[in-house]
Amino acid sequence: MSDLLLIFISASLVNNLVLHHLIGVGAGVGLSRKIDVAAGMSLVTAVALTVATPVTWVVSHAVLRASGLAYLELLAFVLVIIVVVMSGAAVLARLRPDWHDRYRDFVPLVLGNSAVLGVVLLNAGQHFGFAGSLFYGLGAAAGFGLVVILVAALHERLLVADVPRPFQGAAALLMALGILSMAFMGFTGLTRL
Amino acid sequence: MTEAAFISSPHRHGGATITAVMLRVALALLPGILLYAWYFGIGILIQCVLAACFALALEALLLKLRGRPVGLFLRDGSAVVTGLLLALCIPPTTPWWMVLTGIIFAIAAAKHAFGGIGYNPFNPAMAGFVFVLLCFPREMNSWPAAPGTLETGLGLGDSLRAIFLPGREMVDATSGATALGYMKSRLGLMGMISEIRADPVFGTFGGRGWEWISAGFLAGGIALLVMGIVKWHIPAAMLIALTTVSTGFHLYDADVYASPIFHLFGGATMLGAFFVATDPVSASTTPRGRLIYGALIGTLTYVIRVWGAYPDGIAFAVLLGNAAAPLIDHHTRPRVLGESGSGA
């Protein structure tokens, strides 16, 4: 159990997706101008990550590596992500149409989000097992959501700041992300993964 | 905040200008700085002057480049306070060009790139300190040895040589570790706190010498509270959170988790609680938000100190708190009359 907790902390804080691996920076920074939009976006991404990571682990270990087709992993992972996200949206549309309407706009964004494919590939390079993969996906999702929401709140404040012309817009946001990344380095050593 | 409630006129100016506030903050730092110089030599005074001069010069240069009135903004004194806080975080024998690196990052990257005073989302001094800490980890960990153990307290000549002509020969007296750093490395070797505490690097309740410097900052901080410059919420929440968490773990296993007093008076806790976390620009602005913000910093400090790789977590915790402040504000700002309950 404590191993799984360490995987979660490592994926969310120590080796944060956006701040450590620099994956999903565009989605995290570019799309988040409002906190509720950022929250919706990270919620949909979180669900996609949490489901896709263990599913790709099964596909990779039970199907591809068992039959010597490991070189097809990248292609298979992209397909799995598309299937997971689209079927998730379809299930949601059947069960809770009101939720589906609220989150429908985020689905293409998640499909094209490098964060999902990035986490799945990073996980494939580790040896976490099925439960570990589940917690890795969960942790990466939590870390992604945390950064996206923090940056969105920061963005609202930067919009009214007297930022010098060369730094306006994405530049100031990336600078803030850089300092946030420095702050997250304080978590170094919490886990040895 | 754009949605600030408007209170109708007439208003009377409270007389609180930024200059007056910053002057009092600098004065409140004085007891701690003087005790620092008393225990560890004159180096810290040189460091304070150096950092403040660098900060002022850079602030003036950037204001000029941005076409802002130099004299007006320079006189607000915020650059001096940033310089002083940075100088108090780094070892007193840090070479001048590392100080300059920290100041450049603090004033240029963490302050003026976001619009200068009033707009910086992160505390400039802590951003500058973390920058030099990550760039020069070895130098940032060579602290003066504890008073009374070696020949400590470098004189004027040695301090000047260490700061301005580094690299000739490193003086033995500058190769110590702080109490927090020593505690961390010995705990890593499975030492027990009761044994570790016997080392001369420890004083009666914190690091030898450092405990009284912390007490000096506590006194200055209380003076700021009395003068009404700092509201009680952030320091109280931060210190109570740190005390609560450290007491819990100390009661659970006193051999592995140091006492709350040690955490309160070790490292930069007092400096951070009263002078750094309370920076009005980068902190949370609502009363309830300030309590959450302070408690967050206190808890994160403990987490980084005990389980992280760095001996002291104040600077990282403050930056993380700064990052969370806009979000905390968003959820704790008072609802405007007539606004629906769910929209906030």
Side-chain angles (χ1 to χ4, degrees):
Chain A
M1 189 60 217
S2 84
D3 280 355
L4 297 179
L5 191 69
L6 284 183
I7 290 177
F8 180 84
I9 293 174
S10 166
S12 58
L13 296 179
V14 184
N15 300 315
N16 185 281
L17 199 59
V18 183
L19 300 175
H20 180 87
H21 292 297
L22 302 181
I23 296 173
V25 176
V29 174
L31 296 171
S32 55
R33 202 153 299 169
K34 301 278 291 175
I35 293 178
D36 33 355
V37 176
M41 169 79 190
S42 35
L43 190 67
V44 176
T45 311
V47 175
L49 277 176
T50 314
V51 179
T53 314
V55 170
T56 51
W57 187 87
V58 171
V59 169
S60 167
H61 281 78
V63 183
L64 294 177
R65 292 188 189 186
S67 46
L69 294 171
Y71 54 88
L72 283 179
E73 268 185 351
L74 180 62
L75 205 60
F77 288 174
V78 172
L79 281 175
V80 167
I81 291 169
I82 294 175
V83 169
V84 163
V85 173
M86 296 312 278
S87 58
V91 169
L92 196 65
R94 177 69 64 82
L95 293 179
R96 296 295 300 260
D98 49 334
W99 286 13
H100 180 255
D101 286 346
R102 198 189 305 165
Y103 293 114
R104 191 176 45 192
D105 294 345
F106 297 117
V107 169
L109 294 176
V110 173
L111 270 182
N113 189 346
S114 63
V116 184
L117 185 61
V119 170
V120 164
L121 286 173
L122 282 172
N123 182 57
Q126 309 276 3
H127 306 283
F128 288 151
F130 180 77
S133 298
L134 181 66
F135 274 78
Y136 188 77
L138 212 60
F144 179 78
L146 177 69
V147 170
V148 169
I149 293 172
L150 285 181
V151 168
L154 213 60
H155 199 164
E156 287 188 353
R157 195 172 275 197
L158 284 180
L159 284 177
V160 294
D162 175 27
V163 180
R165 183 89 75 81
F167 290 98
Q168 273 170 12
L173 215 51
L174 284 173
M175 301 264 309
L177 210 61
I179 299 180
L180 189 61
S181 170
M182 282 163 48
F184 266 62
M185 284 187 182
F187 291 123
T188 311
L190 287 190
T191 61
R192 300 255 173 268
L193 288 172
Chain B
M1 286 280 101
T2 45
E3 284 117 316
F6 286 100
I7 302 159
S8 64
S9 54
H11 300 293
R12 196 159 56 93
H13 196 282
T17 61
I18 303 179
T19 315
V21 168
M22 290 298 168
L23 187 69
R24 281 173 205 165
V25 170
L27 276 178
L29 280 170
L30 209 56
I33 295 178
L34 290 179
L35 281 164
Y36 199 148
W38 168 264
Y39 280 108
F40 295 99
I42 202 152
I44 184 62
L45 296 181
I46 304 172
Q47 218 55 278
C48 283
V49 173
L50 189 67
C53 289
F54 278 151
L56 273 176
L58 197 63
E59 177 95 0
L61 178 71
L62 287 168
L63 286 170
K64 200 163 171 54
L65 283 179
R66 295 182 58 207
R68 296 288 190 277
V70 176
L72 179 71
F73 280 104
L74 213 52
R75 247 176 279 136
D76 69 32
S78 63
V80 174
V81 170
T82 299
L84 288 180
L85 289 176
L86 183 76
L88 289 170
C89 289
I90 57 181
T93 49
T94 309
W96 65 271
W97 47 276
M98 291 183 194
V99 185
L100 183 62
T101 310
I103 292 288
I104 290 177
F105 194 86
I107 303 279
K111 189 177 175 191
H112 278 283
F114 296 106
I117 186 165
Y119 299 116
N120 46 300
F122 297 95
N123 184 303
M126 290 306 106
F129 168 59
V130 168
F131 188 72
V132 286
L133 179 64
L134 295 171
C135 288
F136 314 109
R138 192 170 59 89
E139 286 81 359
M140 288 304 128
N141 279 309
S142 51
W143 291 89
T149 52
L150 277 166
E151 181 201 351
T152 46
L154 290 182
L156 184 63
D158 282 340
S159 297
L160 285 173
R161 207 171 304 129
I163 295 170
F164 292 103
L165 299 168
R168 293 293 154 83
E169 82 273 24
M170 280 312 278
V171 197
D172 280 344
T174 63
S175 56
T178 59
L180 279 170
Y182 185 77
M183 177 76 89
K184 178 170 258 323
S185 56
R186 284 295 302 271
L187 279 174
L189 300 170
M190 299 297 150
M192 295 211 291
I193 283 183
S194 46
E195 302 162 7
I196 300 172
R197 283 300 303 270
D199 190 272
V201 80
F202 294 97
T204 27
F205 48 92
R208 187 174 297 253
W210 296 107
E211 54 197 10
W212 297 110
I213 298 172
S214 285
F217 288 133
L218 173 63
I222 290 172
L224 284 185
L225 281 181
V226 172
M227 284 190 283
I229 290 176
V230 163
K231 295 240 171 39
W232 60 270
H233 306 74
I234 294 172
M238 180 176 155
L239 296 179
I240 288 172
L242 184 61
T243 313
T244 314
V245 179
S246 53
T247 308
F249 279 98
H250 184 64
L251 290 177
Y252 171 69
D253 190 346
D255 270 334
V256 185
Y257 300 103
S259 74
I261 301 285
F262 176 77
H263 278 289
L264 286 178
F265 286 91
T269 309
M270 291 299 170
L271 185 69
F274 288 99
F275 294 92
V276 181
T278 51
D279 167 24
V281 180
S282 52
S284 178
T285 48
T286 60
R288 207 150 50 89
R290 286 198 186 105
L291 291 176
I292 300 171
Y293 166 86
L296 179 72
I297 294 179
T299 314
L300 284 174
T301 300
Y302 189 79
V303 168
I304 294 171
R305 272 184 187 175
V306 174
W307 295 288
Y310 291 95
D312 201 352
I314 292 281
F316 291 106
V318 167
L319 287 184
L320 291 166
N322 291 162
L327 187 66
I328 296 173
D329 279 355
H330 182 86
H331 285 286
T332 55
R333 73 173 166 225
R335 193 156 290 135
V336 177
L337 189 65
E339 189 178 299
S340 71
S342 61

